[in-house]
Amino acid sequence: FYLITTRLILQPVRVLQETAEKVSQGDLNIRSDINTGDEFQQLSETFNTMLANLKHSADQLHSINKGLDLKLGQLAETNVALYESNRLKTEFLANVSHELRTPLNSILGFAELLRDAVAGGAHDGKPARYLTNILHSGRHLLDLINDLLDLAKIEAGKMEVRSEPLSLPDLFEGLGNILKPLVEQKG
């Protein structure tokens, strides 16, 4: 009875137990080998099928993780490139804005001098009006340049954005003054 119990029942159970312990330690390549022709052999074959499926799934997960690691690396490189591109754009805006502001301030200064000189003379008013339009357009352009600088500061995190009400009549009056010389020129 002991030999029969040991050989037919306990030995297959030990083989399955040893295989399960090796699997729990991470060895998915091991297989149980029970050839008893009974339920233990069926259990062993089912266990081996389960291990094959588990190994296949683990290999797939490993492959997917490798692909995700590659994608993550690509995204990190793209993120660095985008950050650098944004930094260069902000730096370019700041430099161009400063380079435009200097000659524009000079133009505005000379236009004010000419307006004051014309206002003192006996002219029909058109030169003074033209100089006023030059000054107004120049100040508008200077405001746009300053807005570009502000945008660069906002993107760099060095300025706080505040919303303020906008007067549409003032906006349209300013646009009218800018466009009036062009309209008069075209008749």
Side-chain angles (χ1 to χ4, degrees):
F1 180 75
Y2 175 77
L3 288 174
I4 292 173
T5 306
T6 304
R7 182 147 175 93
L8 294 179
I9 298 174
L10 295 179
Q11 184 180 4
V13 170
R14 282 189 197 122
V15 169
L16 286 173
Q17 181 185 7
E18 289 171 4
T19 304
E21 286 175 2
K22 289 182 180 177
V23 168
S24 70
Q25 294 170 357
D27 185 3
L28 296 179
N29 293 318
I30 191 160
R31 299 293 182 263
S32 68
D33 186 26
I34 299 175
N35 295 314
T36 57
D38 58 5
E39 291 84 7
F40 284 115
Q41 184 174 344
Q42 287 177 339
L43 181 62
S44 173
E45 290 169 358
T46 304
F47 192 73
N48 289 339
T49 303
M50 182 181 69
L51 283 173
N53 291 339
L54 188 61
K55 172 75 169 133
H56 179 71
S57 295
D59 290 343
Q60 281 182 326
L61 283 174
H62 182 69
S63 175
I64 290 170
N65 279 340
K66 265 184 151 177
L68 287 174
D69 285 344
L70 286 173
K71 289 286 184 191
L72 185 62
Q74 291 171 347
L75 286 174
E77 288 175 9
T78 302
N79 193 25
V80 167
L82 285 173
Y83 177 79
E84 180 65 14
S85 175
N86 189 43
R87 186 190 64 78
L88 290 172
K89 177 196 62 125
T90 301
E91 187 177 306
F92 173 77
L93 279 175
N95 289 338
V96 166
S97 298
H98 283 292
E99 293 300 320
L100 290 173
R101 195 185 323 181
T102 302
L104 185 58
N105 280 326
S106 176
I107 291 169
L108 288 173
F110 286 121
E112 286 176 357
L113 290 173
L114 285 173
R115 183 193 62 193
D116 293 344
V118 167
H123 295 283
D124 64 354
K126 273 190 175 181
R129 191 174 74 226
Y130 291 158
L131 285 170
T132 301
N133 287 340
I134 290 171
L135 285 168
H136 190 280
S137 297
R139 287 188 186 116
H140 180 69
L141 184 56
L142 186 60
D143 288 342
L144 289 175
I145 292 169
N146 287 333
D147 289 346
L148 280 175
L149 277 174
D150 290 345
L151 180 64
K153 288 178 186 176
I154 289 169
E155 287 183 350
K158 296 179 181 177
M159 181 181 274
E160 184 179 310
V161 178
R162 290 185 323 239
S163 61
E164 294 182 4
L166 173 68
S167 169
L168 288 178
D170 290 346
L171 176 68
F172 290 131
E173 181 182 338
L175 287 173
N177 289 337
I178 291 171
L179 296 175
K180 189 174 184 177
L182 295 174
V183 170
E184 289 175 356
Q185 185 181 30
K186 296 287 183 177

